[in-house]
Amino acid sequence: LTCLLLTVCTLSKSLLVSGGCLGRCCQGRDLDCFTTDWRMDRVYGTCYCDQACLQTKDCCFDYFTECPARNCIVSEWSFWSGCAGTCTTSFRARVREVAQRPSHSGAPCPSLEQRSGCRVYTDFWGRNCEHSSGPAVITSMAFGKARPKHDHYGNPLNPGFCMEFTVESRTSHCSLVNQPHTRWMRYITEGFVVCVACEPPAMPNEGGSCRGDGRESDQDTLLHWQAAVNHQCSGTWRKIRKTRQCNCPPQHSFVFI
């Protein structure tokens, strides 16, 4: 009887402390990734250590201990690429790399590329482009933070100003885009007040204005704007006033390009 009790106690202790998933964590759904041990639902039998066991509810009791979720880790953003073309509106891009891929239902990787509208303000010979007429071309304020604050010779540029507008209309294409670099267009909403910064390099040293900023127009004039990168996202707005700094919420703050 004593030997029998010792045997039962030893077996029970072994079953309770044995690591069912120790050394056998698997990605995705793997029918070969199983063992015989206690399951999470306190049933002893076949249990699994693959990611799919979370859906099928048959993970081994120590799944979360031996197979912890690992979130995706990405590197810092690289520097923005150059803006393609000359004297034209285009786009620039920056990328980041995956340092650790997600596993065991960890958080997925975010977008690895960003694009933003940009404009080249000189021609092939380095001469400043003429300010042509047309709609104001804008992009998200977040994409304007890396713009240069000095000219090619290291001289400080004019710090700029901000224009406030009331959005009168916009096309439906602004709400249809869903890429990371175009989601900001959804916040250009009819009836809302938006702030648009006019700053270098969109504002030349000698010019003191940005294309389409409407500084010389009265408040009754209907002005036109267009989103960078997506020419189908466009509309109209009316000027409210000029201020030294933009005081709108981030989602309603933009920048001329």
Side-chain angles (χ1 to χ4, degrees):
L1 181 59
T2 302
C3 292
L4 180 60
L5 290 174
L6 287 173
T7 302
V8 171
C9 290
T10 302
L11 288 174
S12 299
K13 184 177 181 181
S14 176
L15 291 175
L16 289 172
V17 301
S18 61
C21 289
L22 181 63
R24 55 166 61 91
C25 299
C26 306
Q27 299 289 334
R29 183 174 183 82
D30 188 345
L31 296 180
D32 294 325
C33 191
F34 70 92
T35 185
T36 302
D37 211 321
W38 290 100
R39 299 190 335 197
M40 288 182 175
D41 57 5
R42 300 180 182 180
V43 174
Y44 186 81
T46 301
C47 60
Y48 290 82
C49 299
D50 60 350
Q51 286 179 271
C53 74
L54 295 172
Q55 283 73 46
T56 54
K57 308 298 183 183
D58 53 5
C59 300
C60 295
F61 74 97
D62 60 348
Y63 177 81
F64 289 109
T65 301
E66 301 299 335
C67 309
R70 290 183 173 85
N71 298 331
C72 180
I73 299 177
V74 295
S75 64
E76 296 293 330
W77 287 110
S78 64
F79 291 106
W80 285 106
S81 66
C83 191
T86 58
C87 292
T88 183
T89 300
S90 184
F91 68 87
R92 56 182 180 167
R94 62 179 181 175
V95 297
R96 54 186 174 183
E97 298 179 348
V98 176
Q100 174 180 286
R101 294 198 174 276
S103 61
H104 308 302
S105 302
C109 294
S111 173
L112 300 178
E113 181 183 25
Q114 273 189 347
R115 289 189 178 188
S116 75
C118 63
R119 184 176 176 83
V120 179
Y121 299 93
T122 56
D123 58 21
F124 286 110
W125 296 273
R127 299 174 300 192
N128 288 334
C129 306
E130 293 294 329
H131 258 258
S132 59
S133 59
V137 182
I138 62 172
T139 190
S140 169
M141 182 72 78
F143 295 139
K145 292 180 179 178
R147 291 148 65 98
K149 301 303 179 184
H150 296 76
D151 62 19
H152 295 296
Y153 304 99
N155 301 316
L157 297 172
N158 192 323
F161 57 88
C162 184
M163 297 297 296
E164 292 183 5
F165 300 93
T166 301
V167 179
E168 296 290 334
S169 67
R170 70 163 192 173
T171 61
S172 59
H173 293 87
C174 300
S175 58
L176 296 178
V177 291
N178 195 34
Q179 298 298 317
H181 65 284
T182 58
R183 288 177 187 149
W184 61 271
M185 301 176 192
R186 296 185 171 195
Y187 296 105
I188 309 176
T189 308
E190 295 176 2
F192 277 70
V193 174
V194 297
C195 296
V196 189
C198 178
E199 58 186 26
M203 180 180 62
N205 264 336
E206 67 280 0
S209 64
C210 291
R211 186 181 75 169
D213 62 17
R215 279 203 309 154
E216 306 303 325
S217 305
D218 57 46
Q219 294 183 337
D220 293 328
T221 303
L222 198 63
L223 304 171
H224 294 266
W225 59 267
Q226 173 188 309
V229 183
N230 180 16
H231 67 278
Q232 292 181 307
C233 176
S234 60
T236 57
W237 56 27
R238 297 184 192 274
K239 181 183 71 174
I240 300 177
R241 61 179 173 270
K242 172 187 173 182
T243 59
R244 290 189 61 184
Q245 294 181 334
C246 292
N247 299 311
C248 296
Q251 63 268 29
H252 293 143
S253 297
F254 309 101
V255 63
F256 292 104
I257 66 168

